[in-house]
Structure formats: C-alpha cells, structure tokens
Amino acid sequence: AHRYEEAQHLFTRALAADDGNLSAAYNLAGASSPGESKEAVVLLERYLDGGAEDPGIGERLGDAYFAAKRLDDAAIRYEASLERDPGRPDLHAKLGTVYTLRGKLPDAE
C-alpha cells in the first residue's frame, strides 16, 4: 500500500523487541528509502557477519549498497547471492546493471 513510514516504524518496533528477528531486519531494509540506506547496510551486515547465509539477505544488502552508490560492494553481494541461488533472473539483471555502471560491458552482457 506504499505506507513505507508505517512499515519502517513497525519493523523497527519488532527489532526492538527481538534484535535477532531476521525477517524484520530484511523487511526494514526493503522499506528503507535510499537516503536511509546506511542504516539498512549496517543492519544487514550485522546479520551476514553473524553467519546468515540467506541469498535474499545478501541481495537486500546488495540493494542497500546500490542505493548508497557502493557499486563494488553491491556487485560482491549480488555475485555471492547468485552463487547460492543461480536461477534468479532478477539477480542477474541487478548484477548486469552494476557491471554496466562500472563500465564492464562484456560482463554485463
């Protein structure tokens, strides 16, 4: 329903109640605007550094890096997510976009 501020508030409350709530962290990062991507990056890095191997979390972190204009980091996360789940056309498209922006056109193709 595009009620992002309300979603952010609710996901933040869920994390305050349980800072190990991976679903809330994942969804908070998705509801964050590009200007809030630094908070999303910190949150998702904490989960991945804690041993989470979910390709969706890696993809969401790649999205947050992309929003923060950290293209090299975005590429690393997208590549790692593709290694775990290679059948995702959306991940291929995201990585292709990053490669294009980095001037790596043969890799993008």
Short mmCIF file of all heavy atoms in Angstrom, two decimals, residues 25-94:
data_model
loop_
_atom_site.label_atom_id
_atom_site.label_comp_id
_atom_site.label_asym_id
_atom_site.label_seq_id
_atom_site.Cartn_x
_atom_site.Cartn_y
_atom_site.Cartn_z
N ALA A 25 14.44 -7.44 10.05
CA ALA A 25 15.61 -6.74 9.52
C ALA A 25 15.56 -6.70 8.00
O ALA A 25 15.80 -5.66 7.37
CB ALA A 25 16.90 -7.42 9.98
N TYR A 26 15.25 -7.83 7.39
CA TYR A 26 15.16 -7.93 5.94
C TYR A 26 14.11 -6.96 5.41
O TYR A 26 14.35 -6.22 4.46
CB TYR A 26 14.80 -9.37 5.58
CG TYR A 26 14.64 -9.65 4.11
CD1 TYR A 26 15.72 -10.02 3.33
CD2 TYR A 26 13.39 -9.58 3.51
CE1 TYR A 26 15.57 -10.31 1.99
CE2 TYR A 26 13.23 -9.85 2.16
CZ TYR A 26 14.32 -10.22 1.41
OH TYR A 26 14.16 -10.49 0.08
N ASN A 27 12.95 -6.96 6.04
CA ASN A 27 11.86 -6.12 5.56
C ASN A 27 12.07 -4.64 5.89
O ASN A 27 11.66 -3.79 5.11
CB ASN A 27 10.53 -6.62 6.13
CG ASN A 27 10.12 -7.92 5.47
OD1 ASN A 27 10.07 -8.01 4.26
ND2 ASN A 27 9.88 -8.94 6.27
N LEU A 28 12.73 -4.34 6.99
CA LEU A 28 13.06 -2.95 7.28
C LEU A 28 13.99 -2.39 6.22
O LEU A 28 13.80 -1.27 5.73
CB LEU A 28 13.69 -2.81 8.67
CG LEU A 28 14.14 -1.40 9.05
CD1 LEU A 28 12.97 -0.43 9.04
CD2 LEU A 28 14.82 -1.41 10.41
N ALA A 29 14.97 -3.19 5.82
CA ALA A 29 15.88 -2.74 4.77
C ALA A 29 15.12 -2.50 3.47
O ALA A 29 15.39 -1.55 2.74
CB ALA A 29 16.99 -3.76 4.57
N GLY A 30 14.16 -3.36 3.17
CA GLY A 30 13.38 -3.19 1.95
C GLY A 30 12.46 -1.98 1.98
O GLY A 30 12.17 -1.39 0.95
N ALA A 31 12.02 -1.60 3.16
CA ALA A 31 11.12 -0.46 3.30
C ALA A 31 11.88 0.85 3.42
O ALA A 31 11.28 1.92 3.39
CB ALA A 31 10.21 -0.64 4.52
N SER A 32 13.20 0.78 3.54
CA SER A 32 14.01 1.99 3.71
C SER A 32 14.18 2.70 2.37
O SER A 32 14.35 2.07 1.34
CB SER A 32 15.38 1.64 4.28
OG SER A 32 15.25 1.08 5.56
N SER A 33 14.18 3.99 2.43
CA SER A 33 14.41 4.78 1.23
C SER A 33 15.92 4.89 0.99
O SER A 33 16.71 4.62 1.89
CB SER A 33 13.81 6.18 1.41
OG SER A 33 14.51 6.89 2.40
N PRO A 34 16.32 5.27 -0.23
CA PRO A 34 17.76 5.39 -0.50
C PRO A 34 18.50 6.27 0.49
O PRO A 34 19.64 5.99 0.85
CB PRO A 34 17.81 5.99 -1.91
CG PRO A 34 16.56 5.49 -2.54
CD PRO A 34 15.53 5.48 -1.42
N GLY A 35 17.87 7.31 0.99
CA GLY A 35 18.52 8.19 1.97
C GLY A 35 18.76 7.50 3.30
O GLY A 35 19.58 7.94 4.10
N GLU A 36 18.05 6.41 3.55
CA GLU A 36 18.20 5.67 4.80
C GLU A 36 18.99 4.39 4.60
O GLU A 36 19.01 3.53 5.46
CB GLU A 36 16.81 5.34 5.37
CG GLU A 36 16.00 6.56 5.70
CD GLU A 36 14.53 6.23 5.88
OE1 GLU A 36 14.04 5.29 5.23
OE2 GLU A 36 13.88 6.93 6.65
N SER A 37 19.64 4.26 3.46
CA SER A 37 20.31 3.01 3.14
C SER A 37 21.47 2.70 4.07
O SER A 37 21.81 1.54 4.26
CB SER A 37 20.77 3.02 1.68
OG SER A 37 21.70 4.06 1.46
N LYS A 38 22.08 3.72 4.68
CA LYS A 38 23.19 3.45 5.60
C LYS A 38 22.73 2.61 6.78
O LYS A 38 23.42 1.69 7.20
CB LYS A 38 23.82 4.76 6.07
CG LYS A 38 24.59 5.48 4.99
CD LYS A 38 25.19 6.76 5.49
CE LYS A 38 25.87 7.48 4.33
NZ LYS A 38 26.43 8.75 4.72
N GLU A 39 21.56 2.92 7.31
CA GLU A 39 21.02 2.14 8.43
C GLU A 39 20.75 0.71 7.97
O GLU A 39 21.05 -0.24 8.68
CB GLU A 39 19.73 2.77 8.94
CG GLU A 39 19.09 1.99 10.07
CD GLU A 39 17.78 2.62 10.53
OE1 GLU A 39 17.66 3.85 10.50
OE2 GLU A 39 16.91 1.83 10.91
N ALA A 40 20.19 0.56 6.79
CA ALA A 40 19.91 -0.78 6.25
C ALA A 40 21.20 -1.56 6.05
O ALA A 40 21.27 -2.75 6.36
CB ALA A 40 19.14 -0.67 4.94
N VAL A 41 22.24 -0.90 5.56
CA VAL A 41 23.53 -1.57 5.35
C VAL A 41 24.07 -2.09 6.67
O VAL A 41 24.46 -3.25 6.77
CB VAL A 41 24.54 -0.60 4.67
CG1 VAL A 41 25.96 -1.13 4.78
CG2 VAL A 41 24.16 -0.38 3.22
N VAL A 42 24.08 -1.26 7.68
CA VAL A 42 24.60 -1.67 8.99
C VAL A 42 23.81 -2.85 9.53
O VAL A 42 24.38 -3.83 10.02
CB VAL A 42 24.59 -0.48 9.98
CG1 VAL A 42 24.86 -0.95 11.39
CG2 VAL A 42 25.58 0.58 9.56
N LEU A 43 22.51 -2.77 9.43
CA LEU A 43 21.64 -3.82 9.94
C LEU A 43 21.89 -5.15 9.22
O LEU A 43 22.08 -6.19 9.86
CB LEU A 43 20.19 -3.37 9.74
CG LEU A 43 19.08 -4.20 10.32
CD1 LEU A 43 19.19 -4.23 11.84
CD2 LEU A 43 17.75 -3.61 9.91
N LEU A 44 21.92 -5.13 7.91
CA LEU A 44 22.10 -6.36 7.15
C LEU A 44 23.52 -6.91 7.27
O LEU A 44 23.72 -8.12 7.31
CB LEU A 44 21.71 -6.15 5.70
CG LEU A 44 20.22 -5.88 5.49
CD1 LEU A 44 19.94 -5.49 4.06
CD2 LEU A 44 19.38 -7.08 5.89
N GLU A 45 24.50 -6.03 7.32
CA GLU A 45 25.88 -6.50 7.52
C GLU A 45 26.00 -7.26 8.83
O GLU A 45 26.69 -8.27 8.91
CB GLU A 45 26.87 -5.32 7.51
CG GLU A 45 27.16 -4.79 6.14
CD GLU A 45 28.07 -3.56 6.16
OE1 GLU A 45 28.17 -2.88 7.20
OE2 GLU A 45 28.66 -3.30 5.11
N ARG A 46 25.32 -6.76 9.86
CA ARG A 46 25.37 -7.42 11.16
C ARG A 46 24.84 -8.85 11.05
O ARG A 46 25.43 -9.78 11.60
CB ARG A 46 24.56 -6.63 12.18
CG ARG A 46 24.71 -7.20 13.58
CD ARG A 46 23.92 -6.41 14.59
NE ARG A 46 22.56 -6.91 14.56
CZ ARG A 46 21.50 -6.21 14.95
NH1 ARG A 46 21.64 -4.98 15.37
NH2 ARG A 46 20.31 -6.72 14.92
N TYR A 47 23.77 -9.04 10.32
CA TYR A 47 23.22 -10.39 10.17
C TYR A 47 24.13 -11.29 9.35
O TYR A 47 24.36 -12.45 9.70
CB TYR A 47 21.82 -10.34 9.56
CG TYR A 47 20.80 -9.94 10.59
CD1 TYR A 47 20.39 -8.63 10.71
CD2 TYR A 47 20.28 -10.87 11.48
CE1 TYR A 47 19.47 -8.25 11.67
CE2 TYR A 47 19.37 -10.50 12.45
CZ TYR A 47 18.97 -9.18 12.53
OH TYR A 47 18.08 -8.81 13.50
N LEU A 48 24.67 -10.76 8.27
CA LEU A 48 25.55 -11.59 7.44
C LEU A 48 26.86 -11.88 8.15
O LEU A 48 27.40 -12.98 8.03
CB LEU A 48 25.79 -10.93 6.08
CG LEU A 48 24.57 -10.97 5.16
CD1 LEU A 48 24.82 -10.13 3.92
CD2 LEU A 48 24.21 -12.38 4.77
N ASP A 49 27.37 -10.92 8.90
CA ASP A 49 28.59 -11.16 9.68
C ASP A 49 28.35 -12.17 10.79
O ASP A 49 29.26 -12.83 11.25
CB ASP A 49 29.12 -9.84 10.28
CG ASP A 49 29.69 -8.92 9.23
OD1 ASP A 49 29.93 -9.37 8.09
OD2 ASP A 49 29.88 -7.73 9.53
N GLY A 50 27.08 -12.29 11.21
CA GLY A 50 26.71 -13.26 12.24
C GLY A 50 26.52 -14.66 11.71
O GLY A 50 26.16 -15.56 12.45
N GLY A 51 26.76 -14.86 10.42
CA GLY A 51 26.71 -16.20 9.86
C GLY A 51 25.49 -16.50 9.01
O GLY A 51 25.37 -17.61 8.49
N ALA A 52 24.58 -15.57 8.84
CA ALA A 52 23.41 -15.82 7.99
C ALA A 52 23.88 -16.01 6.55
O ALA A 52 24.72 -15.27 6.07
CB ALA A 52 22.43 -14.64 8.07
N GLU A 53 23.36 -17.02 5.89
CA GLU A 53 23.77 -17.30 4.51
C GLU A 53 22.62 -17.21 3.53
O GLU A 53 22.70 -17.72 2.43
CB GLU A 53 24.42 -18.68 4.44
CG GLU A 53 25.71 -18.76 5.23
CD GLU A 53 26.44 -20.08 5.01
OE1 GLU A 53 26.15 -20.76 4.02
OE2 GLU A 53 27.29 -20.39 5.84
N ASP A 54 21.55 -16.60 3.92
CA ASP A 54 20.37 -16.48 3.09
C ASP A 54 20.68 -15.59 1.88
O ASP A 54 21.07 -14.44 2.05
CB ASP A 54 19.25 -15.87 3.93
CG ASP A 54 17.94 -15.78 3.19
OD1 ASP A 54 17.93 -15.39 2.01
OD2 ASP A 54 16.91 -16.11 3.80
N PRO A 55 20.50 -16.11 0.65
CA PRO A 55 20.79 -15.28 -0.52
C PRO A 55 19.89 -14.05 -0.61
O PRO A 55 20.29 -13.03 -1.16
CB PRO A 55 20.57 -16.20 -1.71
CG PRO A 55 19.83 -17.37 -1.21
CD PRO A 55 20.08 -17.46 0.26
N GLY A 56 18.69 -14.13 -0.03
CA GLY A 56 17.81 -12.96 -0.02
C GLY A 56 18.36 -11.83 0.81
O GLY A 56 18.24 -10.66 0.45
N ILE A 57 18.99 -12.17 1.94
CA ILE A 57 19.61 -11.14 2.78
C ILE A 57 20.79 -10.51 2.02
O ILE A 57 20.96 -9.29 2.01
CB ILE A 57 20.09 -11.73 4.12
CG1 ILE A 57 18.91 -12.26 4.92
CG2 ILE A 57 20.89 -10.70 4.92
CD1 ILE A 57 17.93 -11.20 5.38
N GLY A 58 21.58 -11.34 1.36
CA GLY A 58 22.69 -10.82 0.56
C GLY A 58 22.21 -9.91 -0.56
O GLY A 58 22.80 -8.88 -0.84
N GLU A 59 21.11 -10.31 -1.19
CA GLU A 59 20.55 -9.48 -2.26
C GLU A 59 20.06 -8.15 -1.70
O GLU A 59 20.31 -7.10 -2.28
CB GLU A 59 19.39 -10.20 -2.95
CG GLU A 59 18.74 -9.37 -4.02
CD GLU A 59 17.53 -10.04 -4.64
OE1 GLU A 59 17.13 -11.14 -4.20
OE2 GLU A 59 16.96 -9.43 -5.57
N ARG A 60 19.37 -8.20 -0.58
CA ARG A 60 18.85 -6.97 0.02
C ARG A 60 20.01 -6.06 0.42
O ARG A 60 19.93 -4.84 0.27
CB ARG A 60 17.97 -7.32 1.22
CG ARG A 60 17.07 -6.26 1.74
CD ARG A 60 16.08 -5.67 0.76
NE ARG A 60 15.07 -6.56 0.26
CZ ARG A 60 13.83 -6.64 0.68
NH1 ARG A 60 13.41 -5.87 1.65
NH2 ARG A 60 12.98 -7.47 0.13
N LEU A 61 21.11 -6.64 0.93
CA LEU A 61 22.28 -5.83 1.25
C LEU A 61 22.88 -5.25 -0.02
O LEU A 61 23.28 -4.09 -0.05
CB LEU A 61 23.32 -6.66 2.02
CG LEU A 61 24.59 -5.92 2.42
CD1 LEU A 61 24.28 -4.65 3.22
CD2 LEU A 61 25.50 -6.84 3.23
N GLY A 62 22.91 -6.04 -1.09
CA GLY A 62 23.38 -5.51 -2.38
C GLY A 62 22.53 -4.33 -2.82
O GLY A 62 23.06 -3.33 -3.32
N ASP A 63 21.21 -4.43 -2.63
CA ASP A 63 20.32 -3.32 -2.97
C ASP A 63 20.64 -2.07 -2.14
O ASP A 63 20.63 -0.95 -2.65
CB ASP A 63 18.85 -3.71 -2.74
CG ASP A 63 18.35 -4.80 -3.67
OD1 ASP A 63 19.03 -5.11 -4.68
OD2 ASP A 63 17.28 -5.36 -3.37
N ALA A 64 20.91 -2.29 -0.85
CA ALA A 64 21.24 -1.15 0.02
C ALA A 64 22.57 -0.53 -0.39
O ALA A 64 22.71 0.70 -0.40
CB ALA A 64 21.29 -1.60 1.48
N TYR A 65 23.55 -1.38 -0.74
CA TYR A 65 24.82 -0.85 -1.25
C TYR A 65 24.60 -0.06 -2.54
O TYR A 65 25.18 1.01 -2.73
CB TYR A 65 25.81 -1.97 -1.52
CG TYR A 65 26.48 -2.58 -0.31
CD1 TYR A 65 26.74 -3.94 -0.26
CD2 TYR A 65 26.88 -1.80 0.77
CE1 TYR A 65 27.38 -4.52 0.82
CE2 TYR A 65 27.52 -2.36 1.86
CZ TYR A 65 27.76 -3.72 1.88
OH TYR A 65 28.40 -4.28 2.96
N PHE A 66 23.77 -0.60 -3.42
CA PHE A 66 23.49 0.09 -4.67
C PHE A 66 22.88 1.46 -4.40
O PHE A 66 23.29 2.46 -4.99
CB PHE A 66 22.55 -0.77 -5.53
CG PHE A 66 22.31 -0.20 -6.90
CD1 PHE A 66 23.17 -0.48 -7.95
CD2 PHE A 66 21.21 0.61 -7.14
CE1 PHE A 66 22.95 0.05 -9.21
CE2 PHE A 66 20.98 1.14 -8.40
CZ PHE A 66 21.85 0.87 -9.44
N ALA A 67 21.92 1.52 -3.49
CA ALA A 67 21.27 2.79 -3.14
C ALA A 67 22.27 3.77 -2.55
O ALA A 67 22.13 4.98 -2.72
CB ALA A 67 20.12 2.55 -2.18
N ALA A 68 23.28 3.24 -1.84
CA ALA A 68 24.31 4.09 -1.23
C ALA A 68 25.45 4.39 -2.21
O ALA A 68 26.46 4.97 -1.83
CB ALA A 68 24.85 3.42 0.03
N LYS A 69 25.29 3.93 -3.46
CA LYS A 69 26.29 4.15 -4.53
C LYS A 69 27.61 3.44 -4.24
O LYS A 69 28.66 3.89 -4.65
CB LYS A 69 26.49 5.64 -4.80
CG LYS A 69 25.22 6.30 -5.25
CD LYS A 69 25.40 7.77 -5.52
CE LYS A 69 24.06 8.36 -5.92
NZ LYS A 69 24.09 9.77 -6.10
N ARG A 70 27.53 2.31 -3.53
CA ARG A 70 28.71 1.48 -3.27
C ARG A 70 28.65 0.30 -4.24
O ARG A 70 28.33 -0.82 -3.88
CB ARG A 70 28.70 1.02 -1.81
CG ARG A 70 28.88 2.16 -0.83
CD ARG A 70 28.74 1.74 0.60
NE ARG A 70 29.61 0.65 0.99
CZ ARG A 70 29.62 0.10 2.20
NH1 ARG A 70 28.81 0.55 3.14
NH2 ARG A 70 30.42 -0.91 2.47
N LEU A 71 28.94 0.60 -5.51
CA LEU A 71 28.74 -0.38 -6.58
C LEU A 71 29.63 -1.61 -6.45
O LEU A 71 29.18 -2.72 -6.76
CB LEU A 71 28.93 0.29 -7.94
CG LEU A 71 27.95 1.41 -8.25
CD1 LEU A 71 28.22 1.98 -9.64
CD2 LEU A 71 26.51 0.95 -8.13
N ASP A 72 30.87 -1.44 -6.02
CA ASP A 72 31.75 -2.60 -5.87
C ASP A 72 31.19 -3.55 -4.81
O ASP A 72 31.19 -4.77 -5.01
CB ASP A 72 33.17 -2.17 -5.50
CG ASP A 72 33.88 -1.46 -6.64
OD1 ASP A 72 33.48 -1.65 -7.80
OD2 ASP A 72 34.84 -0.72 -6.37
N ASP A 73 30.73 -3.00 -3.70
CA ASP A 73 30.15 -3.83 -2.64
C ASP A 73 28.84 -4.48 -3.11
O ASP A 73 28.57 -5.64 -2.79
CB ASP A 73 29.90 -3.00 -1.38
CG ASP A 73 31.18 -2.54 -0.72
OD1 ASP A 73 32.17 -3.30 -0.75
OD2 ASP A 73 31.20 -1.42 -0.17
N ALA A 74 28.04 -3.74 -3.88
CA ALA A 74 26.80 -4.30 -4.41
C ALA A 74 27.11 -5.49 -5.31
O ALA A 74 26.47 -6.54 -5.21
CB ALA A 74 26.02 -3.24 -5.18
N ALA A 75 28.12 -5.35 -6.17
CA ALA A 75 28.49 -6.44 -7.07
C ALA A 75 28.91 -7.67 -6.27
O ALA A 75 28.51 -8.80 -6.59
CB ALA A 75 29.61 -6.00 -8.01
N ILE A 76 29.69 -7.47 -5.23
CA ILE A 76 30.14 -8.61 -4.40
C ILE A 76 28.96 -9.35 -3.80
O ILE A 76 28.89 -10.58 -3.82
CB ILE A 76 31.12 -8.11 -3.31
CG1 ILE A 76 32.44 -7.68 -3.94
CG2 ILE A 76 31.33 -9.19 -2.24
CD1 ILE A 76 33.36 -6.90 -3.01
N ARG A 77 27.99 -8.62 -3.27
CA ARG A 77 26.83 -9.25 -2.64
C ARG A 77 25.93 -9.94 -3.67
O ARG A 77 25.43 -11.03 -3.43
CB ARG A 77 26.02 -8.24 -1.83
CG ARG A 77 26.71 -7.82 -0.57
CD ARG A 77 26.96 -9.02 0.33
NE ARG A 77 27.70 -8.62 1.51
CZ ARG A 77 28.08 -9.43 2.45
NH1 ARG A 77 27.82 -10.72 2.37
NH2 ARG A 77 28.76 -8.99 3.47
N TYR A 78 25.73 -9.29 -4.81
CA TYR A 78 24.91 -9.92 -5.85
C TYR A 78 25.59 -11.20 -6.36
O TYR A 78 24.93 -12.22 -6.58
CB TYR A 78 24.65 -8.97 -7.01
CG TYR A 78 23.74 -7.81 -6.69
CD1 TYR A 78 23.90 -6.59 -7.34
CD2 TYR A 78 22.71 -7.91 -5.77
CE1 TYR A 78 23.06 -5.52 -7.08
CE2 TYR A 78 21.87 -6.83 -5.49
CZ TYR A 78 22.05 -5.65 -6.16
OH TYR A 78 21.22 -4.57 -5.91
N GLU A 79 26.90 -11.14 -6.56
CA GLU A 79 27.64 -12.32 -7.03
C GLU A 79 27.52 -13.46 -6.02
O GLU A 79 27.30 -14.62 -6.40
CB GLU A 79 29.10 -11.97 -7.28
CG GLU A 79 29.30 -11.08 -8.50
CD GLU A 79 30.67 -10.42 -8.55
OE1 GLU A 79 31.43 -10.47 -7.56
OE2 GLU A 79 30.99 -9.82 -9.61
N ALA A 80 27.68 -13.15 -4.74
CA ALA A 80 27.58 -14.18 -3.70
C ALA A 80 26.18 -14.77 -3.65
O ALA A 80 26.01 -15.98 -3.49
CB ALA A 80 27.98 -13.59 -2.34
N SER A 81 25.17 -13.93 -3.81
CA SER A 81 23.80 -14.43 -3.80
C SER A 81 23.54 -15.32 -5.01
O SER A 81 22.84 -16.34 -4.91
CB SER A 81 22.80 -13.26 -3.78
OG SER A 81 22.88 -12.59 -2.55
N LEU A 82 24.11 -14.96 -6.15
CA LEU A 82 23.95 -15.78 -7.35
C LEU A 82 24.64 -17.13 -7.22
O LEU A 82 24.17 -18.13 -7.76
CB LEU A 82 24.46 -15.04 -8.59
CG LEU A 82 23.45 -14.10 -9.23
CD1 LEU A 82 24.11 -13.26 -10.31
CD2 LEU A 82 22.28 -14.87 -9.81
N GLU A 83 25.76 -17.16 -6.51
CA GLU A 83 26.44 -18.44 -6.28
C GLU A 83 25.53 -19.38 -5.51
O GLU A 83 25.51 -20.58 -5.77
CB GLU A 83 27.74 -18.23 -5.52
CG GLU A 83 28.86 -17.70 -6.38
CD GLU A 83 30.16 -17.52 -5.58
OE1 GLU A 83 30.34 -18.19 -4.55
OE2 GLU A 83 30.96 -16.68 -6.01
N ARG A 84 24.78 -18.85 -4.55
CA ARG A 84 23.90 -19.68 -3.73
C ARG A 84 22.58 -19.99 -4.43
O ARG A 84 21.95 -21.00 -4.16
CB ARG A 84 23.62 -18.98 -2.40
CG ARG A 84 24.82 -18.92 -1.51
CD ARG A 84 24.44 -18.38 -0.13
NE ARG A 84 25.61 -18.24 0.69
CZ ARG A 84 26.29 -17.11 0.84
NH1 ARG A 84 25.91 -16.02 0.23
NH2 ARG A 84 27.35 -17.08 1.61
N ASP A 85 22.14 -19.09 -5.32
CA ASP A 85 20.85 -19.27 -5.99
C ASP A 85 20.95 -18.76 -7.43
O ASP A 85 20.47 -17.67 -7.75
CB ASP A 85 19.77 -18.50 -5.21
CG ASP A 85 18.36 -18.81 -5.68
OD1 ASP A 85 18.20 -19.67 -6.55
OD2 ASP A 85 17.43 -18.18 -5.15
N PRO A 86 21.59 -19.54 -8.33
CA PRO A 86 21.88 -19.06 -9.68
C PRO A 86 20.67 -18.92 -10.60
O PRO A 86 20.79 -18.33 -11.67
CB PRO A 86 22.85 -20.11 -10.22
CG PRO A 86 22.57 -21.33 -9.44
CD PRO A 86 22.14 -20.87 -8.08
N GLY A 87 19.53 -19.42 -10.23
CA GLY A 87 18.37 -19.39 -11.11
C GLY A 87 17.51 -18.15 -10.98
O GLY A 87 16.35 -18.18 -11.36
N ARG A 88 18.06 -17.08 -10.47
CA ARG A 88 17.28 -15.86 -10.22
C ARG A 88 17.53 -14.81 -11.30
O ARG A 88 18.54 -14.10 -11.27
CB ARG A 88 17.65 -15.28 -8.85
CG ARG A 88 17.40 -16.17 -7.66
CD ARG A 88 16.04 -15.94 -7.05
NE ARG A 88 15.74 -14.54 -6.87
CZ ARG A 88 16.15 -13.81 -5.83
NH1 ARG A 88 16.91 -14.32 -4.89
NH2 ARG A 88 15.79 -12.54 -5.75
N PRO A 89 16.63 -14.66 -12.28
CA PRO A 89 16.85 -13.67 -13.33
C PRO A 89 16.93 -12.25 -12.82
O PRO A 89 17.65 -11.42 -13.38
CB PRO A 89 15.66 -13.86 -14.27
CG PRO A 89 14.69 -14.70 -13.56
CD PRO A 89 15.40 -15.41 -12.45
N ASP A 90 16.21 -11.94 -11.72
CA ASP A 90 16.27 -10.58 -11.18
C ASP A 90 17.65 -10.25 -10.65
O ASP A 90 18.14 -9.13 -10.79
CB ASP A 90 15.21 -10.38 -10.09
CG ASP A 90 15.33 -11.37 -8.94
OD1 ASP A 90 15.69 -12.54 -9.17
OD2 ASP A 90 15.05 -10.97 -7.79
N LEU A 91 18.32 -11.24 -10.06
CA LEU A 91 19.69 -11.02 -9.57
C LEU A 91 20.66 -10.81 -10.73
O LEU A 91 21.55 -9.97 -10.67
CB LEU A 91 20.16 -12.19 -8.72
CG LEU A 91 19.86 -12.09 -7.24
CD1 LEU A 91 20.22 -13.40 -6.54
CD2 LEU A 91 20.56 -10.94 -6.60
N HIS A 92 20.47 -11.59 -11.79
CA HIS A 92 21.31 -11.40 -12.98
C HIS A 92 21.13 -9.99 -13.54
O HIS A 92 22.11 -9.34 -13.92
CB HIS A 92 20.96 -12.44 -14.06
CG HIS A 92 21.40 -13.82 -13.72
ND1 HIS A 92 22.68 -14.27 -13.96
CD2 HIS A 92 20.74 -14.85 -13.15
CE1 HIS A 92 22.78 -15.52 -13.56
NE2 HIS A 92 21.62 -15.90 -13.06
N ALA A 93 19.89 -9.51 -13.57
CA ALA A 93 19.62 -8.17 -14.07
C ALA A 93 20.26 -7.10 -13.19
O ALA A 93 20.85 -6.14 -13.69
CB ALA A 93 18.11 -7.94 -14.17
N LYS A 94 20.17 -7.27 -11.87
CA LYS A 94 20.78 -6.30 -10.96
C LYS A 94 22.29 -6.27 -11.13
O LYS A 94 22.90 -5.20 -11.17
CB LYS A 94 20.42 -6.62 -9.51
CG LYS A 94 18.97 -6.35 -9.18
CD LYS A 94 18.64 -6.75 -7.75
CE LYS A 94 17.19 -6.52 -7.43
NZ LYS A 94 16.88 -6.82 -6.03
#
